[in-house]
Amino acid sequence: MKRLKNIFFYLVIIGTFSALIYWIILFGAKLEVGRGVMSKLSTMTPLQEFFNSIKDNLHHSVALLILQIVIIIIAARSFGWIFKKMGQPSVIGEILAGIVLGPSLLGLYFPEVSSFLFPAKSLGNLQVLSQIGLILFMFIIGMELNLKALQSKAHDAIVISHASIIIPFSLGVGLAYFIYQGHAPEHISFSSFSLFMGIALSITAFPVLARIIQEQGIHKTKLGAIVITCAAADDITAWCLLAAVIAIVKAGSVVSALYTILFALIYVLFMLKLVRPFLRKIGQVYQTEKQVGQSVVVLFFIVLLLSAFVTEAIGIHALFGAFMAGAIMPENLNLRRTFIGKIEDVALVLLLPIFFVISGLRTEIGLINDPALWEITGLIVLLAIVGKFVGSALAAKFVGQNWKDSLTIGALMNTRGLMELVALNIGYELGVLKAEVFAMMVIMALVTTFMTGILLKLINRIFKGEVATE
């Protein structure tokens, strides 16, 4: 009985007020007289109007952005899964997914689909999201650095790491001398172009390297510890060099850049001497806590964002500030793991693939349409391999490693992947790299990352009788 009563009340109140709304609108239409309101006459059927409204809605910035993110995530995860099954790092597939969705493939063969999914006016929103993803990613990388382990193995690691930077850096600067006139932007000085070419050839992808080491099962051996420490030292040194190069590019001269570098040093000292001790006390308070409260999460995010803001304002890029903020977080491992767990999935699954697609949209393989350009691309790949692989291996042998371990270190340090793309995109945004040079460098990053697994298998086969250092 009560149910029938509720139904009757529902029908009466809905029907009465619906009729009231209808009559108000009907009589209100008479108020339009003399106001110049035009009646909308449509020649389309209701079904055509419906599909037309869907098309208009998809061009709305929010709807289009959501569609782009869905396509990007599906493509990145699919390609990443395929390459993981092939025994390659998933990051290679994610980078290729971006290239496939860009002008090199989708834009070339399906230009209408490409222009519908990724119109030029929509790329600004994707760019902002990709930068947020990178900031969170660099923060995670900083938090995952084990500075104590780096200190305990610093001697050998720094020798190998710095040799693996200075040799390819020199080769990159030398290469810039030969290609500057034909392939550098007109407004960019030789010093800016050459320094950026040097840094682009000398970067190692720390997160990709760490993943490969874990997949190879050597992360708990002495060799694995040395390689991880080398990569960590390489990361810190390369980012400091990149910050200096960015300062020089933005300032226009080395002398002007000294002010930027000076302020950057003041910022680093402030973070190490004031912010880090404060955060350490916070970590001690929550030493026994199993869960991290929202107040601590808010505090960490404020430190991250302010650090990124300061370095961007100084002129050495927000990513350096994010990396620094992660490195000075409390040494409480439980606190770090918990906080990383809160942001890792959002950064790596949702936002970081957007960065790969932005890189892919900038990579036009079709621009390398001349044998001379392919020769330069081949030379870039060759110099990158010689500088990083050979330089790291010789340095490792010099500090006392056997040939198998030395060559393994060289192969792993030759991995570039994501970190290379970060540096290349910074160079592209600063106007240091032309589109064709950017494409050449992306090819180099893919080749050097792809060959890592192949080189490791080859080295293990050649030195089959030797056992890796435990």
Side-chain angles (χ1 to χ4, degrees), residues 135-250:
I135 286 171
L136 293 176
F137 174 75
M138 291 306 301
F139 182 64
I140 292 171
I141 294 301
M143 289 188 78
E144 289 180 338
L145 273 181
N146 190 339
L147 295 176
K148 286 186 177 179
L150 194 148
Q151 290 172 357
S152 64
K153 301 177 180 66
H155 180 71
D156 289 355
I158 288 176
V159 172
I160 298 170
S161 171
H162 287 183
S164 75
I165 288 177
I166 192 64
I167 295 173
F169 195 100
S170 302
L171 292 175
V173 172
L175 174 66
Y177 179 82
F178 294 98
I179 68 172
Y180 172 73
Q181 287 189 330
H183 302 282
E186 292 184 2
H187 63 286
I188 293 296
S189 66
F190 175 74
S191 60
S192 297
F193 182 73
S194 61
L195 290 173
F196 222 96
M197 290 296 293
I199 201 73
L201 260 65
S202 57
I203 284 178
T204 291
F206 177 74
V208 178
L209 181 145
R211 195 184 306 175
I212 293 173
I213 286 176
Q214 193 171 25
E215 290 172 357
Q216 292 287 323
I218 60 174
H219 57 291
K220 293 183 180 179
T221 66
K222 184 180 178 182
L223 172 63
I226 290 173
V227 177
I228 284 288
T229 310
C230 286
D234 195 298
D235 235 21
I236 294 170
T237 306
W239 278 100
C240 290
L241 284 173
L242 182 60
V245 171
I246 292 170
I248 292 170
V249 172
K250 286 188 173 182

Side-chain angles (χ1 to χ4, degrees), residues 206-332:
F206 177 74
V208 178
L209 181 145
R211 195 184 306 175
I212 293 173
I213 286 176
Q214 193 171 25
E215 290 172 357
Q216 292 287 323
I218 60 174
H219 57 291
K220 293 183 180 179
T221 66
K222 184 180 178 182
L223 172 63
I226 290 173
V227 177
I228 284 288
T229 310
C230 286
D234 195 298
D235 235 21
I236 294 170
T237 306
W239 278 100
C240 290
L241 284 173
L242 182 60
V245 171
I246 292 170
I248 292 170
V249 172
K250 286 188 173 182
S253 68
V254 177
V255 177
S256 300
L258 290 176
Y259 290 101
T260 301
I261 295 170
L262 176 63
F263 278 105
L265 290 173
I266 294 171
Y267 149 79
V268 171
L269 289 173
F270 175 78
M271 295 292 281
L272 292 175
K273 300 299 182 183
L274 294 177
V275 180
R276 189 180 184 187
F278 170 72
L279 293 175
R280 187 183 291 123
K281 290 181 180 179
I282 299 295
Q284 290 171 353
V285 171
Y286 288 88
Q287 187 77 33
T288 57
E289 297 289 333
K290 291 184 179 180
Q291 291 185 341
V292 181
Q294 286 188 352
S295 57
V296 178
V297 174
V298 169
L299 176 64
F300 284 4
F301 269 118
I302 288 174
V303 172
L304 162 63
L305 294 174
L306 284 178
S307 179
F309 168 76
V310 170
T311 52
E312 181 70 25
I314 289 173
I316 55 173
H317 211 279
L319 298 183
F320 183 81
F323 179 81
M324 188 69 193
I328 66 164
M329 283 292 134
E331 296 173 357
N332 182 343

Side-chain angles (χ1 to χ4, degrees), residues 97-163:
I99 293 175
V100 167
L101 291 175
S104 298
L105 193 65
L106 186 66
L108 183 63
Y109 295 102
F110 304 98
E112 292 183 358
V113 176
S114 179
S115 61
F116 174 78
L117 291 176
F118 301 104
K121 63 180 181 181
S122 73
L123 298 184
N125 294 329
L126 285 176
Q127 176 68 14
V128 171
L129 282 178
S130 73
Q131 290 302 308
I132 293 172
L134 280 178
I135 286 171
L136 293 176
F137 174 75
M138 291 306 301
F139 182 64
I140 292 171
I141 294 301
M143 289 188 78
E144 289 180 338
L145 273 181
N146 190 339
L147 295 176
K148 286 186 177 179
L150 194 148
Q151 290 172 357
S152 64
K153 301 177 180 66
H155 180 71
D156 289 355
I158 288 176
V159 172
I160 298 170
S161 171
H162 287 183

